[in-house]
Amino acid sequence: MSTSAPARSAGDEGVPRLGFHASQEQIAPSQLLRDVQLAEQVGFDGAMSSDHFMPWSARQGHSGFTLSWLGAALASTEYPIGAVNAPGQRYHPAVVAQAYATLGEMFPGRVWTALGAGQAMNEHITGDRWPDLETRRRRLEECVDVIRRLHRGERVTHEGLVRVDDAVLYDLPAEPVPLYAACITPESARRAAAWAEGMITLNQPGHAERDVLAAYREAGGSGPVMLQVHLSWAPTRGQAEEIAHDQWRTNVFGPPLDQDMPTPEHFDSAAEEVSLRRVLDAVRTSDSPQAHVEHLAEDLEAGFEALYLHHVGQEQRSWLEIAGEHVLPALRTR
């Protein structure tokens, strides 16, 4: 069992959370379980996970079932772990509500989810038509309402973009699981401010993530604001760049392309001519732990209250050991 410090919640006053991002698309679930355990042992405060049906690239080659993995991860660690989720097509909102209520009941105060409108590569598998953006956003808002009502113990019937017939949950946590918003654009952040209990976004070229943060706050968004940071570290700069280009060149596309392409093969085809320079705009790449500290410190100074660090390589141990020895302590003493 972990020997780490007691878990802290994202947004605890004056205390930023430094978390580990578990990338289901890149690492087999069994190995990722060992990685999330090691992340706690080296001093991370919490973890978050992606939730995909398919990876971004055939080179990544994995995509475990996140809700199964979360149970094992929470049972074998002591710190908080959350995951993104896209209710409405692949996941019925009543099933999402039941899954997170069960996790919250078993692991009180340690579970959260960040809800988003989804991407075709994960959702098209149901055979249903992939909706336009406005419909996806309205569907998400309906799903949030359904999940929240079920978590309050209500009996729910709903007719709309999603349908629910006389649903009620029998096992609930003492406190509802936080429902955060997963946002990429300022428009989605402004819209999420009406319902979310916090917001998570990711680093983007030109620090566009700060515009997302500002839009959320200016629209009245409450709760913690969190950032998933894509980075690449290796013993040499060349190795770090090779990892970034190999693993993350399919992830440099913004909306609508990244929302609408349906398979890893489509992403691989689109990324054939993506240059290293373009990848380095999206992935903070260095062999220097101090360089990573400086970038992450800027994120905290910009107002993000929790950072989830995602080394985009498929082998995590060396990075986690470096982060535990050099990066996390340096950030906490600044």
Side-chain angles (χ1 to χ4, degrees), residues 306-328:
L307 306 180
Y308 288 90
L309 312 188
H310 175 205
H311 167 52
V312 300
Q314 292 182 294
E315 196 281 323
Q316 296 288 309
R317 174 173 285 275
S318 296
W319 155 247
L320 289 172
E321 291 173 346
I322 286 291
E325 183 175 358
H326 298 288
V327 177
L328 304 183

Side-chain angles (χ1 to χ4, degrees), residues 24 27-37 62 64 69 72 76:
Q24 299 285 348
I27 301 168
S30 55
Q31 179 58 52
L32 199 59
L33 182 62
R34 293 188 285 270
D35 292 337
V36 79
Q37 294 164 355
H62 296 281
W69 182 88
S76 58

Side-chain angles (χ1 to χ4, degrees), residues 51-137:
D51 188 330
H52 273 232
F53 193 86
M54 296 183 181
W56 299 96
S57 166
R59 292 185 310 281
Q60 294 175 340
H62 296 281
S63 202
F65 185 48
T66 294
L67 291 173
S68 298
W69 182 88
L70 277 175
L74 287 158
S76 58
T77 61
E78 294 179 354
Y79 61 6
I81 306 177
V84 297
N85 185 278
Q89 189 157 329
R90 177 170 49 122
Y91 289 126
H92 191 280
V95 174
V96 173
Q98 184 185 32
Y100 279 97
T102 296
L103 290 169
E105 194 277 336
M106 291 192 294
F107 308 104
R110 293 180 52 208
V111 184
W112 54 268
T113 184
L115 303 176
Q119 295 164 307
M121 67 184 303
N122 302 310
E123 311 307 321
H124 80 274
I125 60 157
T126 64
D128 294 332
R129 183 181 64 85
W130 178 236
D132 61 77
L133 179 58
E134 174 59 24
T135 301
R136 299 198 304 269
R137 287 175 170 167

Side-chain angles (χ1 to χ4, degrees), residues 286-300:
S286 178
D287 60 339
S288 165
Q290 185 58 33
H292 288 294
V293 169
E294 295 300 327
H295 284 302
L296 295 165
E298 291 175 2
D299 296 325
L300 295 174

